[in-house]
Amino acid sequence: MPRALTVIGNWKMYKTSREAADYVEQLAPLIEGCTIRVFLAVPFTSIAVVAIAAKPTVIQIGAQNMNDAREGAFTGEIAALMLKEAGAAFVLLGHSERRRVFGETDEFIHRKVLRALSDDLIAVLCVGEALPERESGQTEEVLKRQIETALGGVPKEEAEKLILAYEPVWAIGTGKSATPKLAAKAHRLCREYLAGLFGKRKAGQIPILYGGSVKPGNVEELVSEKDIDGVLVGGASLDSQALADIINHCEKVQ
Ligand code: PGA
């Protein structure tokens, strides 16, 4: 059976809702008929508008963050149910910018994962080591801790609503992507830690995406690795033609 590749665009804090709706209109015809999974993680303010624009297309819309509480006095926060009702199908959790700039801990991310799954969102957990951690030989330890803390205690039957994204921090926004071999090796480690939590069979079904300076020019060699089930794209996803090129390259490999 062929792998079902997944491409996620992460816009970060870019695009107003008007720009977002235009983007979906431009992207849709460029990827018509594609069979891979296409997700767009957009700013909160664009979710509802873009979810409507994306309805007749293969594109699924999601958020870039959420709070772990069901509801409450948390000024400025957003709950999973609010995202769901606005039209989100998934949420990114534990992105390195959330961890580093906003001080999110593995424990907080764990609570968010549980909440997202119980409120029926696909949880895209982002993990990855920083450069000093890689250089001091801590990559395995960091990935193991991030995965086991965030996903420990997730019921086995919920594993099918999980996606993992391996995003080495040194590759994000730097233009220096990991080599396909290096990424594939990290993916195999991640798969092993997932198998420890969910068993080999279920772990084998959780897509593991690579993220960090993915572009139309390097995506094909990345997803040609059998351990890389797709990509999470930041900067290049801001341009609809570039994201369409990435999606169409994946379509060829799949
Ligand atoms: P990048 O970002 O593609 O711009 O490196 C990836 C990400 O932050 O998810």
Side-chain angles (χ1 to χ4, degrees), residues 104-117:
E104 292 193 7
T105 62
D106 288 319
E107 288 71 23
F108 188 33
I109 296 161
H110 168 65
R111 296 197 301 274
K112 293 185 192 212
V113 169
L114 293 179
R115 176 67 59 192
L117 295 174

Side-chain angles (χ1 to χ4, degrees), residues 152-192:
V154 167
K156 280 206 169 76
E157 60 279 10
E158 300 270 33
E160 61 206 44
K161 288 192 295 180
L162 287 175
I163 295 178
L164 193 76
Y166 168 64
E167 298 203 295
V169 180
W170 45 270
I172 296 180
T174 59
K176 279 193 225 135
S177 157
T179 62
K181 291 278 171 265
L182 183 147
K185 190 172 168 208
H187 283 218
R188 285 192 290 276
L189 281 174
C190 292
R191 186 82 68 199
E192 202 179 298

Side-chain angles (χ1 to χ4, degrees), residues 10 12 95-97 167 171-175 211-214 232-236:
N10 171 20
K12 312 193 179 193
H95 189 281
S96 69
E97 286 150 18
E167 298 203 295
I172 296 180
T174 59
S213 298
V214 175
L232 175 47
V233 190

Side-chain angles (χ1 to χ4, degrees), residues 25-76:
E25 240 174 68
Q26 290 156 10
L27 178 64
L30 298 174
I31 58 167
E32 224 183 308
C34 91
T35 60
I36 67 171
R37 294 208 292 181
V38 178
F39 286 10
L40 275 184
V42 305
F44 296 136
T45 48
S46 294
I47 292 173
V49 159
V50 176
I52 292 169
K55 229 185 187 128
T57 76
V58 296
I59 306 161
Q60 295 194 64
I61 302 302
Q64 302 168 13
N65 181 33
M66 54 170 256
N67 190 264
D68 65 317
R70 190 180 179 279
E71 59 184 2
F74 301 108
T75 302

